[in-house]
Amino acid sequence: RGLDLPLLIGGATTSRQHTAVKVAPEYGNPTVHVLDASRVVGVVSALLDPERRATLNDENLVDQERLRVQHAARDAKPMLAIAEARARRTPVEWRAEDLAVPAFLGLRQIERQPLEELVPAIDWTFFFHVWELKGKYPAILDDPRLGAAARELFANGQELLDRIVHERLLEARGVYGFWPANADGDDIVLFTDEDRDQELARFPMLRQQADHQDERPNRSLADFVAPLETGLRDYVGAFAVTAGVGTDELAGAFEAENDDYNAILTKALADRLAESFATVLHERVRREWYQTETLTPEQLIAEKHRGIRPAFGYPACPDHTEKGTLFDLLGARELGIELTEHFAMTPTAAVSGIYLGHPASKYFAVGRVAPDQVADYAARKGSSVEVVERWLAPNLGYTP
């Protein structure tokens, strides 16, 4: 089409590697990956300056070539057949005493979560990342190079956060629940009640297929739920939360005053509150399920606890489309949390996922998957291979 413009690619479902491998080689102009819209300003400023544009483009081209070489090397590594990968599943000693019974079964809604309860659990490190200030909080405040900018940004963020909390400018809502569950192969099955004879929802899971060439297992999230054949009664939780109700209105008010800084600040704070909400709710869930000790905010942020809350679209379960099943299970739309046609959550300051409580459960990355698992996964989902390949494109270990 003769376009002579830089191309900026960003958002939660994109990556620097995908941009380097799949997009940049097809386009002759600068093609830059940016993590989210709030980071575009710095990139565009550089692109508008002829000297800085040349530097940015040269550095970007070198980095993208490195990523392409890295990607090619990754694809050259051997993979296991899915049957062999399943034979090397996570070794778990299934014992009834490790399968705690939740305090209740079914759903509970949180229609108005007090924001002041979320503030202590905010992970400020990622707040600074939004503004391209790389460093851990609170050390970044004393960084010789970044400290002055970080302190000014933090002060402005605290001032606006105080307003948001005390004037209730944003609203946090959520829903969570527990259900009887077991693993059926690589699927996690939730049942309507303790009779476990009526299926409520089924989440097909993917499994690592890389040949580690050592003793490491090939993990799947289904490994952390008691298999049906054990006869043990396990449970799984699920959740969806947002702290973004009112974000568009507040940011829009700032934008109407040509105050883009506070508009971006609003969105960054809403994101932090949503992540904090997920952290605080997970602690409540663990107390209502199996946790006895009380953790500090620092321990919560560092996830020094039993159990995980994997989110669909992330490394352990990279298929975003499973959010559809999750939202139907939770009735999340009744709280105003919606999914776009590409399964992005709105408001964007939202977090959702499932809860796994077994002591062996841990986070991992599925990584590359081979055609045999994709075909098997598509059959389990009741979908076509072509559709699954489209949604799992970043994980495919082959070219369809």
Side-chain angles (χ1 to χ4, degrees), residues 8 16 30 38 41 51 57 62 93 132 150 155 221 237 257 276 296 315:
L8 276 61
R16 288 168 57 241
S38 64
V41 177
E51 185 174 332
N57 194 38
V62 170
E93 181 185 354
E132 297 289 349
L221 287 177
E257 299 172 356
S276 177
T296 66

Side-chain angles (χ1 to χ4, degrees), residues 30-187:
T31 304
V32 186
H33 180 262
V34 289
L35 283 180
D36 57 52
S38 64
R39 303 195 187 192
V40 168
V41 177
V43 175
V44 171
S45 296
L47 290 171
L48 289 172
D49 182 295
E51 185 174 332
R52 291 168 61 201
R53 173 174 175 148
T55 301
L56 172 68
N57 194 38
D58 289 345
E59 292 176 350
N60 190 49
L61 289 173
V62 170
D63 186 55
Q64 289 182 340
E65 179 58 27
R66 178 185 62 81
L67 289 170
R68 284 190 286 270
V69 170
Q70 186 181 78
H71 184 266
R74 186 196 72 168
D75 281 355
K77 292 181 179 179
M79 297 178 70
L80 300 175
I82 185 57
E84 187 176 355
R86 285 171 176 157
R88 298 179 57 174
R89 65 190 301 117
T90 312
V92 177
E93 181 185 354
W94 291 105
R95 305 182 307 171
E97 54 265 37
D98 291 329
L99 308 180
V101 180
F104 70 93
L105 295 178
L107 287 172
R108 284 187 179 174
Q109 291 187 347
I110 305 169
E111 295 186 359
R112 190 179 286 272
Q113 165 66 38
L115 296 180
E116 55 268 24
E117 294 179 5
L118 305 182
V119 173
I122 288 178
D123 184 352
W124 287 103
T125 294
F126 292 97
F127 172 77
F128 294 103
H129 287 189
V130 169
W131 305 86
E132 297 289 349
L133 297 175
K134 300 295 179 65
K136 284 185 68 67
Y137 172 82
I140 192 172
L141 300 178
D142 297 317
D143 184 277
R145 186 171 60 90
L146 303 175
R151 288 191 296 272
E152 180 182 7
L153 176 62
F154 188 58
N156 293 335
Q158 291 287 324
E159 182 181 353
L160 180 55
L161 180 60
D162 286 344
R163 276 195 60 201
I164 288 171
V165 171
H166 292 112
E167 298 176 28
R168 302 188 181 280
L169 300 177
L170 300 181
E171 186 177 324
R173 304 171 185 166
V175 60
Y176 72 106
F178 302 102
W179 293 269
N182 285 105
D184 180 12
D186 284 354
D187 293 352

